[in-house]
Amino acid sequence: MSTLKVYAPYDQSLIKEIPLKSAAEMQEAIDRAHDLYEDRSQWLAKHERTKILEDIAFLMEERYDEIVFQSAQEGGKPLKDTKVEMDRAINGVKLAIENLGHQGGQEVPMGQTAASVNRMAYTMREPIGVVASVSAFNHPINLFVHQTIPAIAVGSPVIIKPASTTPLSCLMMQDIYDVAGLPAGWCTTMVCDREVAEQLVTSPKVNFFSFIGSAKVGWGLRARLAPGTRCALEHGGVAPVIVEPDTDIKSMITGLTKGSFYHAGQVCVSVQRVFVHESIMDEVVNEMDTLARSLKIGDPVSEETEVGPLIKPEEVDRVHEWVTEAKNAGAKVICGGEKISDTCYAPTILLNPPEDIRVSTDEVFGPVVCFYSYSNRDEAIARANSLDYAFQASVYTQHIDVALDTVKKLNATAVMVNDHTAFRVDWMPFGGRDKSGLGIGSIPHSMHDMTREKLMVIKSDVL
């Protein structure tokens, strides 16, 4: 039997070795989920699903500390931030319960033509069918919830493949679902290699595919989906920020620093490109430099740690390679720019790197933020919009017309005003456009996507 060794990213110690699912086991899971969906006698009534979701939320709260520690240990996100993730995940389950009562259809008016008299029509929403989810490592608790709970809530069986670096948190969540009374087959966690996971993509028995990960992999998988399979893809971005000269710098810096170095920059909407008006560039960079140097880097399971490790040592090497490339091309390293260890990289600020090198054009996914000066806001917006990625962006200004104009002109699915690009709550629309993804995620949006509409038309002479 093949196994997977799960290592702590901070010290590379072995946490646990677990079995990998085989191709036969994956096919069995797909067949079981498909059979559940095809047999309406096995569908869970709405009140049954609601009760299960309520019990899941209760059990998550009961096992709060255990799940948080496991996630921080295997994923490397500092304990204090993992607690925030856990709170969001619990709230996500409660959001599904709340939105379950809003899943419905509407009347379609009839009688406007002679051919449509004596009829009434209504739409209703039904579960879409088997949902397949492929998840990422950076938010293992909350992504598990986002990629399974909407399906469970609407009555679609779901199979999830967690990231190979963070499967233990997901298996713990699966255990909670089981204890909460979710019948076998309605949510199945499959820890497997990439080749086995590809069955989730190509199977004609899968009706909806949810992917969180790199653009290269996501678009490649989309091309292999069976005909008729819908999908949602969430990729990364190269998040831009516009900082105007009237910005309240003191109030901005704390949030901007958090948005840049939260989870060591391993966030799809992490602040990466900050365009600052030349008149305040020195002050902004100096303030950011001071705060970045004060961040405590270390073991993610320590309550004091603010920046943890990158997920793998090779990611540290990659980030350092990109930073070295920027430095050699003329960027000024304000702080950081060095490995702290084989697993941790110093929070790094780069000033005016060329805009045609990797730290400026591709998602760093590490603790690196780039600052660029500008004199004209429209020119800064054009530079911010110059890439094929478009996810979340932000603008800092005290002038409402400037804010509104910038929001209108930035190519992004969401623009934060006087807040960093990594802001998110789980009921708001969230997703990328262009290379950054396809579809909009959130608990309510995903519930809608994991259902489909059916129209009923009734003909009667009494109408």
Side-chain angles (χ1 to χ4, degrees):
M1 176 184 293
S2 299
T3 61
L4 173 69
K5 292 181 178 180
V6 183
Y7 296 96
Y10 178 66
D11 60 10
Q12 292 298 290
S13 60
L14 179 64
I15 302 173
K16 194 173 185 179
E17 187 171 0
I18 57 177
L20 287 170
K21 298 295 186 181
S22 67
E25 289 172 312
M26 176 63 82
Q27 188 59 57
E28 181 182 346
I30 294 172
D31 290 342
R32 180 173 63 174
H34 181 259
D35 290 345
L36 275 176
Y37 179 72
E38 290 295 306
D39 184 359
R40 287 179 174 251
S41 69
Q42 298 191 68
W43 284 20
L44 299 171
K46 188 177 290 188
H47 69 88
E48 292 176 308
R49 285 178 263 142
T50 299
K51 178 62 167 61
I52 290 168
L53 293 174
E54 289 172 344
D55 289 345
I56 287 172
F58 173 80
L59 289 168
M60 289 176 69
E61 290 171 339
E62 189 173 64
R63 297 178 63 180
Y64 187 100
D65 291 337
E66 178 189 4
I67 298 170
V68 165
F69 180 85
Q70 180 68 87
S71 182
Q73 183 188 35
E74 70 171 343
K77 183 186 295 177
L79 209 57
K80 60 178 67 177
D81 294 324
T82 304
K83 289 178 180 178
V84 174
E85 179 188 343
M86 184 67 175
D87 291 339
R88 284 180 56 193
I90 293 169
N91 182 61
V93 180
K94 294 177 179 179
L95 279 171
I97 297 169
E98 175 186 329
N99 280 275
L100 195 51
H102 300 295
Q103 290 284 312
Q106 61 183 6
E107 181 182 0
V108 178
M110 291 286 163
Q112 295 95 318
T113 63
S116 64
V117 298
N118 302 125
R119 290 171 176 84
M120 64 169 57
Y122 295 92
T123 62
M124 62 196 82
R125 301 207 68 84
E126 295 184 332
I128 194 170
V130 177
V131 173
S133 297
V134 174
S135 201
F137 77 86
N138 53 345
H139 309 292
I141 309 167
N142 201 40
L143 294 183
F144 190 91
V145 165
H146 268 263
Q147 292 183 281
T148 62
I149 286 295
I152 294 167
V154 301
S156 287
V158 57
I159 302 168
I160 184 166
K161 186 260 180 208
S164 60
T165 48
T166 54
L168 303 179
S169 307
C170 301
L171 290 171
M172 198 173 288
M173 289 295 297
Q174 178 71 62
D175 182 62
I176 283 177
Y177 288 15
D178 296 341
V179 174
L182 185 67
W186 286 101
C187 180
T188 307
T189 299
M190 299 295 288
V191 181
C192 59
D193 62 28
R194 184 169 295 185
E195 183 177 347
V196 171
E198 287 180 357
Q199 292 177 245
L200 291 173
V201 180
T202 58
S203 174
K205 294 183 177 181
V206 169
N207 302 85
F208 189 87
F209 177 64
S210 168
F211 174 81
I212 300 175
S214 75
K216 180 179 180 180
V217 174
W219 294 118
L221 293 177
R222 181 196 182 210
R224 300 183 61 195
L225 291 175
T229 301
R230 300 183 190 177
C231 71
L233 309 175
E234 184 183 307
H235 304 146
V238 193
V241 178
I242 308 291
V243 182
E244 278 287 274
D246 65 342
T247 297
D248 183 343
I249 296 173
K250 294 290 185 182
S251 67
M252 173 187 72
I253 289 298
T254 300
L256 198 63
T257 303
K258 184 69 173 180
S260 300
F261 303 122
Y262 165 66
H263 198 5
Q266 298 170 116
V267 180
C268 59
V269 287
S270 178
V271 173
Q272 184 170 329
R273 296 178 297 150
V274 185
F275 298 90
V276 183
H277 192 272
E278 59 188 10
S279 64
I280 59 169
M281 174 64 94
D282 289 346
E283 184 180 358
V284 170
V285 170
N286 288 338
E287 292 280 351
M288 187 91 161
D289 178 28
T290 300
L291 198 52
R293 290 177 187 270
S294 72
L295 295 173
K296 183 172 177 56
I297 305 157
D299 191 340
V301 299
S302 167
E303 291 280 2
E304 304 302 316
T305 297
E306 295 173 288
V307 180
L310 272 70
I311 192 64
K312 292 181 178 180
E314 48 262 45
E315 288 300 298
V316 177
D317 295 336
R318 178 190 59 80
V319 169
H320 187 60
E321 178 185 321
W322 288 26
V323 170
T324 301
E325 176 187 65
K327 181 180 177 181
N328 292 339
K332 182 178 181 181
V333 180
I334 302 300
C335 68
E338 60 186 3
K339 301 178 187 180
I340 294 176
S341 67
D342 289 340
T343 61
C344 294
Y345 200 79
T348 299
I349 298 174
L350 299 177
L351 181 60
N352 287 320
E355 293 186 45
D356 60 352
I357 61 174
R358 286 178 290 184
V359 294
S360 298
T361 62
D362 298 318
E363 184 179 28
V364 176
F365 223 60
V368 178
V369 60
C370 303
F371 282 79
Y372 312 84
S373 61
Y374 74 88
S375 58
N376 177 276
R377 181 170 54 88
D378 282 333
E379 171 247 334
I381 292 170
R383 290 159 68 188
N385 289 344
S386 65
L387 304 181
D388 293 333
Y389 298 94
F391 210 143
Q392 297 198 163
S394 73
V395 55
Y396 285 86
T397 180
Q398 298 301 302
H399 197 298
I400 185 63
D401 288 341
V402 170
L404 292 174
D405 185 62
T406 306
V407 169
K408 179 175 66 175
K409 292 176 178 176
L410 280 171
N411 182 27
T413 50
V415 181
M416 310 303 152
V417 177
N418 293 326
D419 205 351
H420 60 77
T421 61
F423 172 78
R424 182 187 183 185
V425 290
D426 297 289
W427 57 88
M428 78 185 214
F430 185 81
R433 60 171 64 163
D434 302 334
K435 281 188 178 180
S436 287
L438 180 68
I440 294 296
S442 78
I443 296 297
H445 286 84
S446 294
M447 289 175 67
H448 184 271
D449 285 348
M450 292 176 186
T451 61
R452 52 189 171 189
E453 191 172 70
K454 176 179 282 186
L455 173 68
M456 174 178 64
V457 182
I458 301 172
K459 182 180 179 182
S460 172
D461 290 340
V462 304
L463 295 174

